[in-house]
Amino acid sequence: MSQLDTLFDRKAGNARKWADQVLAEKFGLTPDAIPMDLADLDFPVAPPIHQAMMVRAAVPDYSYTYVPEAFYAAVIAWNARRFGLKLEKDWIKLSYGTVPTLHYLVQAFTTPGEAVLINTPAYDPFAEAVQNNHRQLVTSPLVIKEGRYFFDFADIAAKMQRPDVKLFILCSPQNPSGRVWTAAELAKVAELCRQYHVLLVSDEIHRDIVYPGVNFTSIWQADPAIQSQSILCLSPNKAFNLGGLKTSYVVIPDAAIRDRLSQQFSANSITSPNSFAVPALIAAYTDCDNWLDEMVAYVAANFDYLKTRLAAISEMKVMPAESGFLAWIDTHRLFPDETSMKQFFTAADLSCVVGSYFVADGEGFVRLNIGMPRPLLKEALDRIIATYAEWPAMEEGSCKIVRNPE
């Protein structure tokens, strides 16, 4: 039995994902609901991180902090050891979470009325960072071939030729699908950014959770020349479940780009890090390799388990994933609309994220978080399968089920 099979009470820590009030108000669910929406893990934090937090908590000082040398050493060593990236200390800037950082990047490198390009479907905060700052959102839909997403390079090129497109935000690996882009695909993206003088922001925060046997390539490894025209967004938050500490960092080799973002950080008063953020990152990047390897293998097995169980529902097509703990499922042939989809998951007492959340081109899909102990995942899938068996009788006319599709 794996230590990751252990169930623990996340409500005790005020986890938003598990809050009865949130589940009731947002999804209409009961206190017995199983949340599968918010992208965090349902495993206890890695023991070295927990121990580091206990040590730090014992120091009776939670005042203003600074970024010590140990932070930079841990970041540089982790990136070299795990990803073959050689970083320099001056390139690294600690920030308050990846989502706020996207806002700072949009503010720093575009002006109101200019445009930012993203692929869709996309994590909705990508669009919010653009639109909340009064910039234009330009989208390039990903193309589904043989059940997987691919870039439409002709469309990306056409959009980048627009004189108002100044910034391209890339999600690598891709959220919500867990697609790991190949080196050749990333090299083409970088080539287009250089050709059309578009600054590239590569969000690589899911890279730590790439399944065994799958190779992750950073955009800088795909095209080293793009280093002078790009920014990496990195974070331990997804892999080590540190979202509540708002810990992330950017890596920027180009001094002019780095100085411009530093000015934006100052304008937004990004100063002292959270008292617990730096110790947690150092512990994660120094002492948790074995825990991470076990967790990634466990989640990959969860994904295989989900695919096997949902094969009983022919109208649910699970998109193959190569990373992450999020399953992206095509339900076009099961539900006539998202209202029916929501009713189905409410009946199953499960929360989910419907496809329309993902900016565009996600309608008909649902995203389920499977980063949980397998006994809990089994219960969730039992509920889905049981609800599917009873659904037409429970809600006549609300669900379009094709038992024997051509």
Side-chain angles (χ1 to χ4, degrees), residues 10 30 76 119 122 125 221 244-245 250 282 293 346 365 391 400:
R10 293 199 63 201
T30 77
I76 290 169
N119 296 117
Q221 294 163 323
L245 297 180
V250 292
I282 292 171
D293 292 340
T346 299
F365 285 82
W391 182 244
K400 181 180 179 182

Side-chain angles (χ1 to χ4, degrees), residues 325-395:
F325 48 85
L326 306 168
W328 187 236
I329 305 169
D330 185 348
T331 66
H332 282 90
R333 290 158 54 206
L334 181 56
F335 304 114
D337 50 45
E338 284 191 345
T339 297
S340 297
M341 180 193 294
K342 292 175 181 178
Q343 290 172 345
F344 179 92
F345 283 96
T346 299
D349 213 13
L350 304 173
S351 66
C352 65
V353 185
V354 296
S356 62
Y357 170 82
F358 295 93
V359 185
D361 307 301
E363 292 79 1
F365 285 82
V366 64
R367 194 190 77 178
L368 299 179
N369 183 339
I370 59 170
M372 60 180 64
R374 198 152 306 130
L376 191 62
L377 179 60
K378 178 183 182 302
E379 170 62 23
L381 294 171
D382 286 346
R383 293 185 187 186
I384 290 173
I385 292 169
T387 302
Y388 171 80
E390 300 175 1
W391 182 244
M394 292 168 58
E395 296 287 344

Side-chain angles (χ1 to χ4, degrees), residues 11 19 76 100 174 191 196 210 222 225 242 281 289 294 311 345 375 398:
K11 294 181 182 182
I76 290 169
Q174 204 265 346
E191 177 189 344
Y196 296 110
V210 171
L242 304 179
L281 181 144
D289 291 62
E294 181 182 353
F345 283 96
S398 68

Side-chain angles (χ1 to χ4, degrees), residues 159-186:
K159 302 292 175 56
M160 285 188 178
Q161 289 180 59
R162 289 178 43 164
D164 58 342
V165 172
K166 304 298 183 182
L167 190 68
F168 175 51
I169 303 177
L170 170 70
C171 193
S172 177
Q174 204 265 346
N175 175 13
S177 71
R179 171 76 151 84
V180 174
W181 306 115
T182 67
E185 289 170 321
L186 292 170

Side-chain angles (χ1 to χ4, degrees), residues 30-185:
T30 77
D32 293 324
I34 298 176
M36 304 184 78
D37 58 302
L38 192 66
D40 66 5
L41 293 168
D42 287 321
F43 307 124
V45 72
I49 298 174
H50 187 226
Q51 179 60 30
M53 295 296 91
M54 298 294 287
V55 170
R56 178 62 186 87
V59 178
D61 181 3
Y62 309 117
S63 186
Y64 303 114
T65 63
Y66 75 105
V67 183
E69 289 298 320
F71 165 82
Y72 297 105
V75 167
I76 290 169
W78 178 261
N79 279 276
R81 184 170 72 250
R82 302 289 297 199
F83 302 102
L85 287 177
K86 295 182 179 180
L87 308 184
E88 296 182 15
K89 174 188 171 183
D90 290 345
W91 300 358
I92 304 164
K93 293 190 67 63
L94 183 64
S95 186
Y96 289 167
T98 302
V99 170
T101 300
L102 292 175
H103 285 71
Y104 312 146
L105 291 169
V106 169
Q107 293 163 6
F109 299 105
T110 65
T111 59
E114 289 184 332
V116 178
L117 176 64
I118 65 173
N119 296 117
T120 52
Y123 182 47
D124 188 62
F126 281 21
E128 291 177 346
V130 177
Q131 295 167 330
N132 288 352
N133 288 292
H134 309 292
R135 276 64 167 174
Q136 296 184 59
L137 179 68
V138 179
T139 63
S140 179
L142 297 172
V143 178
I144 297 178
K145 299 177 183 177
E146 299 179 355
R148 301 171 73 233
Y149 282 126
F150 289 85
F151 293 115
D152 184 339
F153 289 115
D155 186 68
I156 292 173
K159 302 292 175 56
M160 285 188 178
Q161 289 180 59
R162 289 178 43 164
D164 58 342
V165 172
K166 304 298 183 182
L167 190 68
F168 175 51
I169 303 177
L170 170 70
C171 193
S172 177
Q174 204 265 346
N175 175 13
S177 71
R179 171 76 151 84
V180 174
W181 306 115
T182 67
E185 289 170 321

Side-chain angles (χ1 to χ4, degrees), residues 184-293:
E185 289 170 321
L186 292 170
K188 181 63 176 178
V189 168
E191 177 189 344
L192 292 174
C193 287
R194 288 190 289 106
Q195 179 179 353
Y196 296 110
H197 308 290
V198 174
L199 180 65
L200 173 60
V201 173
S202 187
D203 174 2
E204 300 185 2
I205 66 171
H206 292 270
R207 64 175 184 166
D208 296 303
I209 318 172
V210 171
Y211 297 166
V214 179
N215 293 320
F216 171 78
T217 303
S218 172
I219 192 71
W220 290 353
Q221 294 163 323
D223 182 358
I226 198 64
Q227 280 196 4
S228 63
Q229 194 181 320
S230 63
I231 298 167
L232 292 190
C233 292
L234 304 174
S235 175
N237 290 351
K238 291 302 176 189
F240 297 102
N241 216 38
L242 304 179
L245 297 180
K246 305 299 182 184
T247 309
S248 68
Y249 56 99
V250 292
V251 187
I252 311 173
D254 184 85
I257 296 174
R258 193 167 61 245
D259 289 346
R260 191 166 173 180
L261 183 60
S262 295
Q263 292 172 17
Q264 191 64 50
F265 275 22
S266 295
N268 288 352
S269 193
I270 308 303
T271 55
S272 300
N274 181 298
S275 297
F276 293 89
V278 169
L281 181 144
I282 292 171
Y285 279 3
T286 305
D287 298 318
C288 294
D289 291 62
N290 291 340
W291 182 92
L292 178 62
D293 292 340

